[in-house]
Amino acid sequence: MRTKTLAVPLAVALLLSACSGEEPAPAAGSKGTVNIDIHGWVGYQAQAAVLAYLLEHELGYQVRTREMKESDSWRDFESGKVDVIVESWGHEDLKQEYIEKRKVALSAGLTGNKGVIGWYVPEWMAKEYPDITDYRNLNRYAHLFRTDKTGNAGQVLDGDPSFVTNDEALIKNLKLNYRVVYSGSEDALIKAAQYATRNRKPLLMYFYEPQWLFTKVKLVKVNLPPYAVGCDRDPAAVACDYPPYLLDKIVSRGFAERGGKAYELVRNFTWTNDNQNAVASNMINKRMTAKEAARQWVAENKIIWKDWMPR
């Protein structure tokens, strides 16, 4: 997500139904199989579900999915076990290794989503402590965020350790009296934000957009030192905010060369944060399966996706 990877068992289970479930295979018959890896945040799963639905029901392909950590997905481009990663957050190291050096993968263009990673507090905290959103004041408030796991230090709640995160380096290099605690998943971060908002409990957390939660819970971003190109080049020395992310799709070189109309659809796909959040919100808040949420979005947004279809 931003990221490296989230474990969200419920949402992943919902997504897996996107390619297996309640509707018959397309009447046109299968034109081949597209292997899409599933990473552990619901926005990714929403995007994968829409692509899978269109591949199956508009183009007549079969779609095979599997849950994977991001780095493991990249390693499997060469073997052909994965054709598509539908949303990649940066990962310049992996691009260097698998696109530039090994030449087994390539970018299939931007998703249209604009990614933001940062530290957030519930809106009520920003109102009650107006200067808390300036990182230079965080030590003054560290006592509010103490937990059993952090002792006298404040807690910064992160997600899965495999997410893209600079938080431990930020704490050290900005000389903040805090410790990172890993919640383990996107779902755990969401529950923490909901609980802190509902019960007015202090919370300082790593989070990101696009994310459906922002339509339900008001969070305020903490101002870390501004990002400048190159300020995060040395992971151990990072002392700046996260960069803005223009998210892209990554495909295997074999899929790009032989994927035909399936590759054209993946390459043409582009939508907005609001589009993704609409599908993800239906999966979580309306308890739709990923396939149901994708089917509804496709039914209501032909004016958007018709431009993605191969000519």
Side-chain angles (χ1 to χ4, degrees), residues 6-9 40 158-161 163 182-190 208:
L6 292 173
V8 190
D158 269 41
D160 187 294
F163 290 179
Y182 293 97
S183 67
S185 70
E186 178 183 73
D187 192 45
L189 286 174
I190 289 170
Y208 37 81

Side-chain angles (χ1 to χ4, degrees), residues 75-95:
R75 286 198 292 268
D76 279 345
F77 277 131
E78 188 168 11
S79 68
K81 292 179 181 178
V82 57
D83 297 314
V84 185
I85 292 174
V86 305
E87 182 179 280
S88 176
W89 288 65
H91 295 300
E92 296 307 319
D93 56 337
L94 294 174
K95 288 181 176 179

Side-chain angles (χ1 to χ4, degrees), residues 140-155:
R140 185 186 311 169
Y141 296 106
H143 65 283
L144 296 177
F145 301 105
R146 290 173 183 163
T147 69
D148 291 342
K149 295 180 179 180
T150 62
N152 290 326
Q155 172 180 276

Side-chain angles (χ1 to χ4, degrees), residues 4-5 37-39 66-79 81-82 85 94 98 162:
K4 300 174 192 170
T5 274
D37 272 6
I38 304 306
H39 298 160
R66 62 175 189 166
E67 303 171 44
M68 295 294 288
K69 298 281 189 181
E70 287 181 85
S71 58
D72 293 338
S73 291
W74 286 76
R75 286 198 292 268
D76 279 345
F77 277 131
E78 188 168 11
S79 68
K81 292 179 181 178
V82 57
I85 292 174
L94 294 174
Y98 293 97
S162 65

Side-chain angles (χ1 to χ4, degrees), residues 92 117 166 221 224-233 238-245:
E92 296 307 319
I117 297 177
N166 300 326
K221 193 171 184 291
L224 295 170
Y227 177 81
V229 175
C231 70
D232 55 352
R233 186 172 293 115
V238 173
C240 59
D241 208 343
Y242 291 86
Y245 292 92

Side-chain angles (χ1 to χ4, degrees), residues 55-68:
L55 284 164
E56 291 185 319
H57 295 277
E58 293 296 321
L59 295 184
Y61 288 85
Q62 292 182 343
V63 176
R64 181 182 298 125
T65 63
R66 62 175 189 166
E67 303 171 44
M68 295 294 288

